[in-house]
């Protein structure tokens, strides 16, 4: 239960879930089962730790990512995009992702934004389990082969790398059996 994820989902359960209509939340994540007795009810199921998240992604209509602090790009955001899921997420959960032209990824930074956008989608009854715009964005920007291709293009543009020499060695230096009793260091 990584603190930003756990705190975020507990906040969501307390502040947002009571305001959502016809909505069921399934919580999947390492260590989340420790919160089962505290938060599970008829609108919330806590699964907790699983070996494979695929079945939960396939079953979900959308993903919520109420992450308010952390560092770097969030892997779960990329996973949700890979599965073509509608996403409701904080700015922090979307850091580093180019989502400007993606229709089915919604930025929500407070309880009113989460409630408003999720209820709007529920009221529209126009939702599905797969969104091509989300998946296409993942494939165009974040899929491994695409990243590799972009990296290779970048590297070809750096001419000084053609002359770069790397020297690497492997083995034991021969001093590994010398004890740590150095005369200049006090021994305790």
């Amino acid at each position: 239960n990584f603190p930003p994820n756990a705190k975020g989902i507990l906040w969501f359960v307390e502040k947002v879930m009571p305001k959502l209509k016809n909505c069921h939340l399934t919580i999947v994540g390492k260590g989340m089962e420790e919160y089962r007795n505290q938060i599970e009810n008829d609108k919330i199921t806590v699964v907790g730790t699983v070996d494979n998240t695929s079945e939960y992604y396939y079953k979900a209509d959308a993903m919520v990512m109420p992450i308010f602090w952390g560092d770097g790009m969030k892997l779960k955001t990329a996973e949700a995009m890979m599965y073509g899921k509608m996403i409701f997420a904080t700015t922090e959960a979307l850091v580093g992702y180019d989502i400007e032209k993606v229709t089915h990824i919604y930025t929500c930074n407070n309880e009113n934004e989460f409630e408003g956008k999720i209820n709007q989608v529920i009221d529209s009854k126009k939702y599905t389990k797969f969104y091509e715009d989300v998946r296409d964005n993942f494939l165009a920007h974040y899929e491994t082969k695409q990243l590799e291709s972009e990296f290779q293009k970048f590297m070809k543009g750096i001419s000084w790398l053609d002359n770069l020499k790397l020297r690497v060695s492997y083995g034991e230096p021969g001093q590994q059996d010398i004890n740590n009793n150095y005369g200049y260091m006090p021994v305790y």
Side-chain angles (χ1 to χ4, degrees), residues 2-182:
F2 187 58
N5 296 354
K7 295 237 189 238
I9 202 65
L10 292 173
W11 171 88
F12 187 85
V13 164
E14 179 187 344
K15 302 286 188 184
V16 181
M17 277 305 292
K19 300 176 182 179
L20 298 180
K21 312 170 208 167
N22 302 319
C23 184
H24 187 87
L25 177 67
T26 301
I27 301 172
V28 178
K30 184 176 181 180
M32 292 306 295
E33 55 272 16
E34 80 178 61
Y35 300 103
R36 185 174 287 127
N37 293 336
Q38 178 185 345
I39 62 176
E40 198 166 60
N41 59 43
D42 61 328
K43 291 177 74 171
I44 301 168
T45 301
V46 179
V47 175
T49 305
V50 296
D51 291 331
N52 186 342
T53 57
S54 295
E55 74 174 277
Y56 298 98
Y57 276 111
Y58 287 125
K59 289 177 183 178
D61 293 317
M63 305 301 297
V64 294
M65 299 177 182
I67 301 171
F68 294 98
W69 84 94
D71 292 320
M73 295 174 76
K74 311 307 180 272
L75 180 60
K76 294 300 176 193
T77 304
E79 279 184 352
M81 292 171 65
M82 179 184 74
Y83 283 96
K85 292 298 168 184
M86 180 186 310
I87 300 171
F88 299 92
T90 58
T91 301
E92 179 62 37
L94 300 171
V95 164
Y97 292 98
D98 181 8
I99 59 154
E100 188 175 315
K101 296 177 185 174
V102 184
T103 306
H104 297 98
I105 297 179
Y106 302 93
T107 304
C108 310
N109 288 306
N110 60 52
E111 62 188 274
N112 292 329
E113 290 176 358
F114 272 104
E115 174 200 358
K117 290 176 183 176
I118 293 171
N119 277 333
Q120 182 179 4
V121 169
I122 291 170
D123 289 345
S124 75
K125 295 184 174 44
K126 294 180 181 177
Y127 51 91
T128 180
K129 294 189 183 308
F130 179 81
Y131 291 89
E132 197 168 335
D133 65 319
V134 177
R135 172 74 175 171
D136 287 348
N137 188 58
F138 171 80
L139 293 174
H141 300 289
Y142 309 107
E143 192 269 333
T144 305
K145 287 184 178 159
Q146 179 62 29
L147 292 173
E148 185 179 299
S149 173
E150 292 296 320
F151 181 72
Q152 287 175 351
K153 286 180 199 173
F154 169 76
M155 295 302 282
K156 283 183 182 179
I158 302 175
S159 59
W160 61 267
L161 280 179
D162 294 339
N163 298 323
L164 183 66
K165 293 181 183 177
L166 297 176
R167 296 184 188 214
V168 179
S169 65
Y170 175 78
E172 296 178 355
Q175 297 146 332
Q176 67 275 2
D177 293 326
I178 298 174
N179 69 29
N180 292 331
N181 186 8
Y182 300 100

